[in-house]
Amino acid sequence: MKKFVAYIFLLLPCFAFGQLFPNVPDFRGNIKKVVEKRYGKELVPSRKDSGIYKPGVYSGWKYTYLFDKKSKLSKRINTFQGKIETECDYKTTKTSSSIMKTEITRDHTSGGKESTVEYENFIDASGRILKVNSWSKNSTASEKELFLLEDNAIYNQKKLLSFIRHSVEPNGTVASEEECKLEYNSSGRLIRIDRKDISSGFNTSIQYHFNTKGFVDHYSIDLLTEMQEYGKTQILDVYFKYDRRGNWTKMYRKSAKKIQLEARRKIYYR
């Protein structure tokens, strides 16, 4: 579970509950509930060994996000074909020097076993995050384990310019280190993140593109060199469509020069 969580965090620039690594703003305004459906389904013919992937077909996965009276995310329910698979509760605890964000997940496919991910954010007097310890704990573990560390944050006033990201092994040793550098446009919006693996020198980048209203129209991920096919540039493009209040309602992924529906959201406001 620990390695899987770390891998997901290294790649996804979208939803993140408590990291130094920036994320696309996910929810805006006085929201009560969001229902998200995922598309793209693997069909397995009865007389064939391999399945057929159908883009744009409802996958059966649905994510329901619930918010408290202050429109802060409090719970996520994941269902597959109408059956609850997992539930995740979100909690935030603040002190003068830190912000602890916690995700508690109950897996209904394994009898309701719980696992926890904690993001321990250390802040300065102005509220800027200087360091983040990411911890995980499963239902059988006696102690939580550190799996990701973000530190050496450098700012220009309130804009984060760079930081170092460390992946941590179960025995406490650092498995890899990555330098992240952030670039902004003249309007102060984040437009690019460059990531460099310190030991290998491999690079990847994320570029953000904005529409006329200042929302992220789409982002492009130039994948790590070691994940690419020889002689090919593997760039992942993700596009968004928004409602009038600035929340995305459709997400598309560009694949083989085709833009395919990845997710659709129905947003309920208070």
Short mmCIF file of all heavy atoms in Angstrom, two decimals, residues 9 12-24 99 101 118-124 127-134 148-155 157-166 178-182 184 190 193 195 206 208:
data_model
loop_
_atom_site.label_atom_id
_atom_site.label_comp_id
_atom_site.label_asym_id
_atom_site.label_seq_id
_atom_site.Cartn_x
_atom_site.Cartn_y
_atom_site.Cartn_z
N PHE A 9 1.29 9.60 -5.93
CA PHE A 9 1.59 10.99 -5.60
C PHE A 9 2.66 11.57 -6.51
O PHE A 9 2.69 12.76 -6.77
CB PHE A 9 2.03 11.11 -4.14
CG PHE A 9 0.91 10.90 -3.16
CD1 PHE A 9 1.19 10.68 -1.83
CD2 PHE A 9 -0.41 10.92 -3.56
CE1 PHE A 9 0.17 10.49 -0.92
CE2 PHE A 9 -1.44 10.72 -2.67
CZ PHE A 9 -1.16 10.51 -1.34
N LEU A 12 0.45 12.29 -10.11
CA LEU A 12 -0.79 13.02 -10.26
C LEU A 12 -0.69 14.47 -9.79
O LEU A 12 -0.37 14.73 -8.65
CB LEU A 12 -1.91 12.32 -9.45
CG LEU A 12 -2.38 10.99 -9.99
CD1 LEU A 12 -3.53 10.47 -9.15
CD2 LEU A 12 -2.82 11.07 -11.44
N PRO A 13 -0.99 15.43 -10.65
CA PRO A 13 -1.00 16.83 -10.25
C PRO A 13 -2.39 17.34 -9.94
O PRO A 13 -2.60 18.53 -9.79
CB PRO A 13 -0.45 17.52 -11.50
CG PRO A 13 -1.00 16.71 -12.61
CD PRO A 13 -1.08 15.28 -12.11
N CYS A 14 -3.36 16.47 -9.88
CA CYS A 14 -4.74 16.90 -9.62
C CYS A 14 -5.05 16.89 -8.14
O CYS A 14 -4.51 17.65 -7.38
CB CYS A 14 -5.72 16.01 -10.39
SG CYS A 14 -5.97 16.52 -12.08
N PHE A 15 -5.92 15.97 -7.73
CA PHE A 15 -6.38 15.99 -6.36
C PHE A 15 -5.30 15.56 -5.38
O PHE A 15 -4.68 14.53 -5.54
CB PHE A 15 -7.60 15.06 -6.20
CG PHE A 15 -8.12 15.02 -4.81
CD1 PHE A 15 -8.84 16.08 -4.32
CD2 PHE A 15 -7.86 13.94 -3.99
CE1 PHE A 15 -9.33 16.05 -3.03
CE2 PHE A 15 -8.33 13.91 -2.70
CZ PHE A 15 -9.07 14.97 -2.21
N ALA A 16 -5.05 16.39 -4.38
CA ALA A 16 -4.09 16.08 -3.32
C ALA A 16 -4.59 16.76 -2.05
O ALA A 16 -4.85 17.96 -2.05
CB ALA A 16 -2.70 16.56 -3.69
N PHE A 17 -4.72 16.01 -0.98
CA PHE A 17 -5.31 16.54 0.24
C PHE A 17 -4.31 17.35 1.06
O PHE A 17 -4.68 18.31 1.71
CB PHE A 17 -5.89 15.40 1.09
CG PHE A 17 -6.68 15.87 2.28
CD1 PHE A 17 -7.75 16.73 2.12
CD2 PHE A 17 -6.35 15.43 3.55
CE1 PHE A 17 -8.49 17.15 3.22
CE2 PHE A 17 -7.09 15.85 4.65
CZ PHE A 17 -8.16 16.70 4.49
N GLY A 18 -3.04 17.00 1.06
CA GLY A 18 -2.10 17.72 1.90
C GLY A 18 -0.66 17.56 1.52
O GLY A 18 0.11 16.90 2.21
N GLN A 19 -0.23 18.14 0.43
CA GLN A 19 1.15 18.04 0.01
C GLN A 19 1.73 19.41 -0.28
O GLN A 19 1.00 20.36 -0.55
CB GLN A 19 1.27 17.21 -1.26
CG GLN A 19 0.84 15.77 -1.13
CD GLN A 19 1.05 15.06 -2.45
OE1 GLN A 19 2.16 14.83 -2.86
NE2 GLN A 19 -0.04 14.75 -3.12
N LEU A 20 3.05 19.49 -0.25
CA LEU A 20 3.73 20.69 -0.71
C LEU A 20 3.62 20.79 -2.22
O LEU A 20 3.53 21.88 -2.79
CB LEU A 20 5.20 20.65 -0.27
CG LEU A 20 6.05 21.91 -0.47
CD1 LEU A 20 5.46 23.09 0.29
CD2 LEU A 20 7.48 21.67 -0.01
N PHE A 21 3.63 19.63 -2.88
CA PHE A 21 3.50 19.59 -4.33
C PHE A 21 2.18 20.22 -4.75
O PHE A 21 1.12 19.82 -4.27
CB PHE A 21 3.57 18.14 -4.82
CG PHE A 21 3.83 18.00 -6.29
CD1 PHE A 21 5.13 17.96 -6.77
CD2 PHE A 21 2.79 17.92 -7.19
CE1 PHE A 21 5.38 17.83 -8.13
CE2 PHE A 21 3.03 17.80 -8.54
CZ PHE A 21 4.34 17.75 -9.01
N PRO A 22 2.19 21.23 -5.65
CA PRO A 22 0.95 21.94 -6.02
C PRO A 22 -0.04 21.03 -6.74
O PRO A 22 0.34 20.06 -7.39
CB PRO A 22 1.45 23.04 -6.96
CG PRO A 22 2.92 23.15 -6.71
CD PRO A 22 3.38 21.78 -6.32
N ASN A 23 -1.32 21.35 -6.63
CA ASN A 23 -2.34 20.60 -7.32
C ASN A 23 -3.32 21.55 -8.00
O ASN A 23 -3.48 22.70 -7.60
CB ASN A 23 -3.11 19.67 -6.37
CG ASN A 23 -3.83 20.44 -5.28
OD1 ASN A 23 -3.21 20.98 -4.38
ND2 ASN A 23 -5.14 20.51 -5.35
N VAL A 24 -3.97 21.08 -9.04
CA VAL A 24 -5.00 21.86 -9.71
C VAL A 24 -6.15 22.09 -8.73
O VAL A 24 -6.64 21.13 -8.14
CB VAL A 24 -5.53 21.13 -10.96
CG1 VAL A 24 -6.68 21.90 -11.59
CG2 VAL A 24 -4.40 20.92 -11.96
N ILE A 99 0.06 21.91 10.27
CA ILE A 99 -1.28 21.53 9.83
C ILE A 99 -1.23 20.03 9.53
O ILE A 99 -0.48 19.59 8.65
CB ILE A 99 -1.70 22.29 8.57
CG1 ILE A 99 -1.67 23.80 8.81
CG2 ILE A 99 -3.10 21.86 8.13
CD1 ILE A 99 -1.94 24.62 7.56
N LYS A 101 -3.13 16.90 8.07
CA LYS A 101 -4.25 16.48 7.25
C LYS A 101 -4.26 14.94 7.21
O LYS A 101 -3.23 14.33 6.94
CB LYS A 101 -4.14 17.06 5.84
CG LYS A 101 -4.33 18.57 5.80
CD LYS A 101 -4.25 19.11 4.39
CE LYS A 101 -4.54 20.61 4.34
NZ LYS A 101 -5.95 20.90 4.57
N GLU A 118 -1.34 10.26 6.62
CA GLU A 118 -1.25 11.54 7.30
C GLU A 118 -0.23 12.44 6.61
O GLU A 118 0.85 11.97 6.23
CB GLU A 118 -0.84 11.36 8.77
CG GLU A 118 -1.86 10.66 9.62
CD GLU A 118 -1.41 10.53 11.06
OE1 GLU A 118 -0.19 10.69 11.32
OE2 GLU A 118 -2.25 10.24 11.93
N TYR A 119 -0.58 13.71 6.47
CA TYR A 119 0.33 14.70 5.90
C TYR A 119 0.63 15.72 7.00
O TYR A 119 -0.24 16.50 7.38
CB TYR A 119 -0.29 15.41 4.70
CG TYR A 119 -0.85 14.48 3.66
CD1 TYR A 119 -2.19 14.10 3.69
CD2 TYR A 119 -0.05 13.96 2.64
CE1 TYR A 119 -2.72 13.25 2.74
CE2 TYR A 119 -0.57 13.11 1.69
CZ TYR A 119 -1.91 12.75 1.75
OH TYR A 119 -2.43 11.91 0.81
N GLU A 120 1.85 15.70 7.47
CA GLU A 120 2.26 16.57 8.56
C GLU A 120 2.96 17.80 7.95
O GLU A 120 4.12 17.75 7.56
CB GLU A 120 3.21 15.81 9.49
CG GLU A 120 3.57 16.52 10.75
CD GLU A 120 4.46 15.66 11.64
OE1 GLU A 120 5.01 14.65 11.14
OE2 GLU A 120 4.60 15.99 12.82
N ASN A 121 2.21 18.90 7.84
CA ASN A 121 2.71 20.12 7.22
C ASN A 121 3.29 21.06 8.26
O ASN A 121 2.57 21.50 9.18
CB ASN A 121 1.57 20.84 6.49
CG ASN A 121 0.99 20.04 5.35
OD1 ASN A 121 1.30 20.26 4.20
ND2 ASN A 121 0.11 19.09 5.67
N PHE A 122 4.55 21.41 8.15
CA PHE A 122 5.19 22.36 9.05
C PHE A 122 5.19 23.74 8.38
O PHE A 122 5.66 23.88 7.24
CB PHE A 122 6.61 21.92 9.37
CG PHE A 122 6.68 20.61 10.10
CD1 PHE A 122 6.86 19.42 9.38
CD2 PHE A 122 6.54 20.54 11.47
CE1 PHE A 122 6.92 18.21 10.04
CE2 PHE A 122 6.59 19.33 12.14
CZ PHE A 122 6.78 18.16 11.42
N ILE A 123 4.68 24.75 9.07
CA ILE A 123 4.50 26.07 8.49
C ILE A 123 5.27 27.13 9.26
O ILE A 123 5.62 26.94 10.42
CB ILE A 123 3.00 26.45 8.44
CG1 ILE A 123 2.41 26.45 9.85
CG2 ILE A 123 2.23 25.48 7.54
CD1 ILE A 123 0.96 26.90 9.91
N ASP A 124 5.53 28.27 8.57
CA ASP A 124 6.18 29.39 9.24
C ASP A 124 5.12 30.36 9.75
O ASP A 124 3.92 30.10 9.65
CB ASP A 124 7.20 30.06 8.31
CG ASP A 124 6.56 30.66 7.07
OD1 ASP A 124 5.32 30.77 7.01
OD2 ASP A 124 7.30 31.01 6.14
N GLY A 127 2.33 31.26 7.39
CA GLY A 127 1.50 30.17 6.90
C GLY A 127 2.06 29.42 5.72
O GLY A 127 1.40 28.53 5.18
N ARG A 128 3.29 29.74 5.31
CA ARG A 128 3.91 29.01 4.20
C ARG A 128 4.39 27.65 4.66
O ARG A 128 4.95 27.51 5.75
CB ARG A 128 5.09 29.81 3.64
CG ARG A 128 4.72 31.18 3.13
CD ARG A 128 5.93 31.91 2.56
NE ARG A 128 7.03 31.99 3.51
CZ ARG A 128 8.18 32.64 3.28
NH1 ARG A 128 8.36 33.24 2.11
NH2 ARG A 128 9.12 32.66 4.19
N ILE A 129 4.16 26.62 3.83
CA ILE A 129 4.58 25.27 4.17
C ILE A 129 6.07 25.11 3.88
O ILE A 129 6.52 25.34 2.76
CB ILE A 129 3.77 24.22 3.39
CG1 ILE A 129 2.29 24.36 3.71
CG2 ILE A 129 4.25 22.81 3.72
CD1 ILE A 129 1.40 23.45 2.88
N LEU A 130 6.83 24.71 4.89
CA LEU A 130 8.27 24.55 4.75
C LEU A 130 8.68 23.10 4.56
O LEU A 130 9.69 22.81 3.92
CB LEU A 130 8.98 25.13 5.98
CG LEU A 130 8.70 26.59 6.29
CD1 LEU A 130 9.44 27.00 7.57
CD2 LEU A 130 9.10 27.49 5.14
N LYS A 131 7.88 22.19 5.10
CA LYS A 131 8.24 20.78 5.08
C LYS A 131 6.98 19.95 5.26
O LYS A 131 6.06 20.35 5.97
CB LYS A 131 9.24 20.48 6.21
CG LYS A 131 9.63 19.02 6.35
CD LYS A 131 10.59 18.84 7.53
CE LYS A 131 10.94 17.38 7.75
NZ LYS A 131 11.86 17.21 8.91
N VAL A 132 6.93 18.79 4.58
CA VAL A 132 5.79 17.88 4.73
C VAL A 132 6.30 16.46 4.94
O VAL A 132 7.08 15.95 4.13
CB VAL A 132 4.87 17.91 3.49
CG1 VAL A 132 3.69 16.95 3.69
CG2 VAL A 132 4.37 19.32 3.22
N ASN A 133 5.86 15.84 6.02
CA ASN A 133 6.10 14.42 6.25
C ASN A 133 4.81 13.66 5.91
O ASN A 133 3.75 13.98 6.45
CB ASN A 133 6.46 14.14 7.71
CG ASN A 133 7.84 14.64 8.08
OD1 ASN A 133 8.71 14.78 7.22
ND2 ASN A 133 8.06 14.92 9.35
N SER A 134 4.90 12.68 5.01
CA SER A 134 3.73 11.89 4.64
C SER A 134 3.87 10.50 5.25
O SER A 134 4.84 9.79 4.98
CB SER A 134 3.61 11.79 3.12
OG SER A 134 3.41 13.06 2.56
N LEU A 148 7.07 9.50 2.31
CA LEU A 148 7.40 10.62 1.45
C LEU A 148 7.75 11.83 2.30
O LEU A 148 7.07 12.11 3.30
CB LEU A 148 6.21 10.95 0.54
CG LEU A 148 6.48 11.75 -0.72
CD1 LEU A 148 7.34 10.95 -1.70
CD2 LEU A 148 5.16 12.14 -1.41
N LEU A 149 8.79 12.53 1.88
CA LEU A 149 9.25 13.72 2.62
C LEU A 149 9.51 14.84 1.62
O LEU A 149 10.20 14.64 0.62
CB LEU A 149 10.53 13.38 3.39
CG LEU A 149 11.31 14.54 4.01
CD1 LEU A 149 10.48 15.25 5.08
CD2 LEU A 149 12.62 14.05 4.61
N GLU A 150 8.95 16.00 1.88
CA GLU A 150 9.17 17.18 1.04
C GLU A 150 9.75 18.29 1.92
O GLU A 150 9.17 18.64 2.94
CB GLU A 150 7.86 17.64 0.39
CG GLU A 150 7.28 16.61 -0.56
CD GLU A 150 5.87 16.94 -1.02
OE1 GLU A 150 5.12 17.57 -0.24
OE2 GLU A 150 5.52 16.56 -2.14
N ASP A 151 10.92 18.83 1.52
CA ASP A 151 11.57 19.85 2.34
C ASP A 151 12.39 20.79 1.47
O ASP A 151 12.26 20.78 0.24
CB ASP A 151 12.43 19.21 3.44
CG ASP A 151 13.55 18.33 2.89
OD1 ASP A 151 13.75 18.32 1.65
OD2 ASP A 151 14.22 17.65 3.69
N ASN A 152 13.23 21.60 2.12
CA ASN A 152 14.07 22.59 1.42
C ASN A 152 13.23 23.52 0.54
O ASN A 152 13.64 23.86 -0.58
CB ASN A 152 15.15 21.92 0.57
CG ASN A 152 16.19 21.21 1.41
OD1 ASN A 152 16.39 21.55 2.57
ND2 ASN A 152 16.84 20.22 0.84
N ALA A 153 12.07 23.93 1.05
CA ALA A 153 11.19 24.80 0.28
C ALA A 153 11.78 26.21 0.20
O ALA A 153 12.18 26.78 1.21
CB ALA A 153 9.81 24.84 0.92
N ILE A 154 11.81 26.76 -1.02
CA ILE A 154 12.30 28.12 -1.25
C ILE A 154 11.16 28.94 -1.84
O ILE A 154 10.50 28.52 -2.79
CB ILE A 154 13.50 28.12 -2.21
CG1 ILE A 154 14.67 27.36 -1.58
CG2 ILE A 154 13.93 29.55 -2.54
CD1 ILE A 154 15.87 27.23 -2.49
N TYR A 155 10.93 30.13 -1.26
CA TYR A 155 9.82 30.98 -1.69
C TYR A 155 10.33 32.33 -2.17
O TYR A 155 11.39 32.80 -1.77
CB TYR A 155 8.86 31.23 -0.52
CG TYR A 155 7.99 30.05 -0.15
CD1 TYR A 155 8.45 29.07 0.73
CD2 TYR A 155 6.69 29.91 -0.65
CE1 TYR A 155 7.65 28.00 1.10
CE2 TYR A 155 5.89 28.85 -0.30
CZ TYR A 155 6.37 27.89 0.59
OH TYR A 155 5.58 26.84 0.94
N GLN A 157 8.42 35.58 -1.62
CA GLN A 157 7.23 36.02 -0.89
C GLN A 157 6.33 34.81 -0.66
O GLN A 157 6.70 33.88 0.02
CB GLN A 157 6.55 37.16 -1.63
CG GLN A 157 7.41 38.42 -1.73
CD GLN A 157 6.73 39.56 -2.43
OE1 GLN A 157 5.62 39.43 -2.98
NE2 GLN A 157 7.37 40.72 -2.43
N LYS A 158 5.13 34.76 -1.27
CA LYS A 158 4.25 33.62 -1.04
C LYS A 158 4.29 32.59 -2.16
O LYS A 158 3.60 31.56 -2.09
CB LYS A 158 2.80 34.11 -0.86
CG LYS A 158 2.59 34.88 0.44
CD LYS A 158 1.12 35.17 0.66
CE LYS A 158 0.90 35.87 1.99
NZ LYS A 158 -0.55 36.14 2.26
N LYS A 159 5.10 32.83 -3.17
CA LYS A 159 5.19 31.89 -4.29
C LYS A 159 6.29 30.86 -4.04
O LYS A 159 7.45 31.21 -3.85
CB LYS A 159 5.44 32.63 -5.60
CG LYS A 159 4.24 33.40 -6.11
CD LYS A 159 4.54 33.96 -7.48
CE LYS A 159 3.30 34.64 -8.07
NZ LYS A 159 2.83 35.75 -7.23
N LEU A 160 5.90 29.59 -4.07
CA LEU A 160 6.86 28.50 -3.93
C LEU A 160 7.68 28.37 -5.20
O LEU A 160 7.13 28.23 -6.30
CB LEU A 160 6.11 27.20 -3.65
CG LEU A 160 6.94 25.92 -3.51
CD1 LEU A 160 7.86 26.00 -2.30
CD2 LEU A 160 6.02 24.70 -3.40
N LEU A 161 9.02 28.42 -5.07
CA LEU A 161 9.90 28.36 -6.23
C LEU A 161 10.50 26.98 -6.45
O LEU A 161 10.66 26.53 -7.57
CB LEU A 161 11.03 29.39 -6.10
CG LEU A 161 10.61 30.86 -6.00
CD1 LEU A 161 11.85 31.73 -5.90
CD2 LEU A 161 9.76 31.26 -7.20
N SER A 162 10.85 26.30 -5.35
CA SER A 162 11.47 24.98 -5.48
C SER A 162 11.40 24.24 -4.16
O SER A 162 11.21 24.84 -3.10
CB SER A 162 12.92 25.10 -5.94
OG SER A 162 13.70 25.74 -4.96
N PHE A 163 11.57 22.92 -4.23
CA PHE A 163 11.66 22.09 -3.04
C PHE A 163 12.24 20.74 -3.45
O PHE A 163 12.35 20.43 -4.64
CB PHE A 163 10.30 21.92 -2.34
CG PHE A 163 9.25 21.23 -3.16
CD1 PHE A 163 9.03 19.87 -3.03
CD2 PHE A 163 8.48 21.94 -4.07
CE1 PHE A 163 8.06 19.23 -3.78
CE2 PHE A 163 7.50 21.30 -4.83
CZ PHE A 163 7.29 19.95 -4.68
N ILE A 164 12.62 19.94 -2.47
CA ILE A 164 13.16 18.61 -2.70
C ILE A 164 12.16 17.57 -2.19
O ILE A 164 11.59 17.72 -1.11
CB ILE A 164 14.52 18.41 -1.99
CG1 ILE A 164 15.51 19.48 -2.42
CG2 ILE A 164 15.08 17.02 -2.30
CD1 ILE A 164 15.89 19.45 -3.88
N ARG A 165 11.97 16.53 -2.98
CA ARG A 165 11.04 15.46 -2.63
C ARG A 165 11.82 14.17 -2.46
O ARG A 165 12.60 13.78 -3.33
CB ARG A 165 10.02 15.30 -3.75
CG ARG A 165 8.69 14.72 -3.29
CD ARG A 165 7.72 14.76 -4.46
NE ARG A 165 6.37 14.91 -3.99
CZ ARG A 165 5.31 14.47 -4.65
NH1 ARG A 165 5.45 13.88 -5.82
NH2 ARG A 165 4.10 14.63 -4.19
N HIS A 166 11.60 13.48 -1.34
CA HIS A 166 12.31 12.25 -1.03
C HIS A 166 11.31 11.11 -0.88
O HIS A 166 10.34 11.22 -0.14
CB HIS A 166 13.09 12.37 0.29
CG HIS A 166 13.85 13.66 0.45
ND1 HIS A 166 15.19 13.79 0.14
CD2 HIS A 166 13.44 14.88 0.89
CE1 HIS A 166 15.57 15.03 0.40
NE2 HIS A 166 14.53 15.71 0.84
N GLU A 178 14.17 13.94 -5.56
CA GLU A 178 13.72 14.65 -6.74
C GLU A 178 13.66 16.15 -6.45
O GLU A 178 13.10 16.57 -5.44
CB GLU A 178 12.33 14.13 -7.13
CG GLU A 178 11.74 14.77 -8.36
CD GLU A 178 10.36 14.20 -8.63
OE1 GLU A 178 9.43 14.55 -7.89
OE2 GLU A 178 10.21 13.42 -9.58
N GLU A 179 14.25 16.95 -7.34
CA GLU A 179 14.19 18.40 -7.20
C GLU A 179 13.05 18.93 -8.05
O GLU A 179 12.94 18.61 -9.24
CB GLU A 179 15.50 19.04 -7.64
CG GLU A 179 15.51 20.55 -7.48
CD GLU A 179 16.80 21.18 -7.95
OE1 GLU A 179 17.52 20.55 -8.76
OE2 GLU A 179 17.12 22.31 -7.51
N CYS A 180 12.18 19.73 -7.45
CA CYS A 180 11.04 20.30 -8.15
C CYS A 180 11.20 21.82 -8.23
O CYS A 180 11.42 22.48 -7.21
CB CYS A 180 9.73 19.97 -7.43
SG CYS A 180 9.40 18.20 -7.28
N LYS A 181 11.09 22.37 -9.44
CA LYS A 181 11.19 23.80 -9.65
C LYS A 181 9.90 24.30 -10.30
O LYS A 181 9.39 23.69 -11.23
CB LYS A 181 12.38 24.15 -10.53
CG LYS A 181 13.73 23.86 -9.87
CD LYS A 181 14.89 24.31 -10.75
CE LYS A 181 16.22 24.08 -10.06
NZ LYS A 181 17.38 24.54 -10.90
N LEU A 182 9.40 25.43 -9.83
CA LEU A 182 8.12 25.96 -10.26
C LEU A 182 8.31 27.29 -11.00
O LEU A 182 9.15 28.11 -10.61
CB LEU A 182 7.18 26.17 -9.07
CG LEU A 182 6.68 24.91 -8.37
CD1 LEU A 182 7.75 24.30 -7.46
CD2 LEU A 182 5.44 25.20 -7.55
N TYR A 184 6.16 30.66 -12.91
CA TYR A 184 4.90 31.40 -12.93
C TYR A 184 4.88 32.37 -14.11
O TYR A 184 5.93 32.81 -14.60
CB TYR A 184 4.71 32.17 -11.62
CG TYR A 184 4.73 31.30 -10.39
CD1 TYR A 184 5.94 30.91 -9.82
CD2 TYR A 184 3.55 30.85 -9.80
CE1 TYR A 184 5.97 30.10 -8.69
CE2 TYR A 184 3.57 30.05 -8.67
CZ TYR A 184 4.78 29.66 -8.13
OH TYR A 184 4.81 28.87 -7.01
N LEU A 190 0.77 29.60 -11.70
CA LEU A 190 1.73 28.51 -11.91
C LEU A 190 1.54 27.95 -13.32
O LEU A 190 0.45 27.51 -13.69
CB LEU A 190 1.50 27.42 -10.88
CG LEU A 190 2.37 26.16 -10.99
CD1 LEU A 190 3.84 26.51 -10.76
CD2 LEU A 190 1.91 25.10 -10.00
N ILE A 193 5.99 22.99 -13.83
CA ILE A 193 6.77 22.35 -12.78
C ILE A 193 7.78 21.43 -13.46
O ILE A 193 7.40 20.56 -14.24
CB ILE A 193 5.90 21.52 -11.82
CG1 ILE A 193 4.82 22.40 -11.17
CG2 ILE A 193 6.76 20.87 -10.74
CD1 ILE A 193 3.85 21.62 -10.31
N ARG A 195 10.71 18.60 -12.83
CA ARG A 195 11.13 17.63 -11.82
C ARG A 195 12.36 16.89 -12.32
O ARG A 195 12.37 16.38 -13.43
CB ARG A 195 10.00 16.65 -11.52
CG ARG A 195 8.75 17.31 -10.97
CD ARG A 195 7.53 16.42 -11.10
NE ARG A 195 7.76 15.10 -10.59
CZ ARG A 195 6.94 14.07 -10.78
NH1 ARG A 195 5.84 14.23 -11.50
NH2 ARG A 195 7.21 12.90 -10.27
N ILE A 206 5.53 19.26 -15.96
CA ILE A 206 4.09 19.45 -16.03
C ILE A 206 3.84 20.89 -16.43
O ILE A 206 4.35 21.81 -15.79
CB ILE A 206 3.41 19.16 -14.68
CG1 ILE A 206 3.76 17.75 -14.19
CG2 ILE A 206 1.90 19.32 -14.80
CD1 ILE A 206 3.28 17.47 -12.78
N TYR A 208 0.91 23.86 -17.26
CA TYR A 208 -0.48 24.23 -17.04
C TYR A 208 -0.89 25.31 -18.03
O TYR A 208 -0.18 26.30 -18.21
CB TYR A 208 -0.68 24.73 -15.61
CG TYR A 208 -0.35 23.70 -14.55
CD1 TYR A 208 0.94 23.59 -14.03
CD2 TYR A 208 -1.32 22.83 -14.07
CE1 TYR A 208 1.25 22.64 -13.07
CE2 TYR A 208 -1.03 21.88 -13.11
CZ TYR A 208 0.26 21.79 -12.61
OH TYR A 208 0.56 20.84 -11.67
#
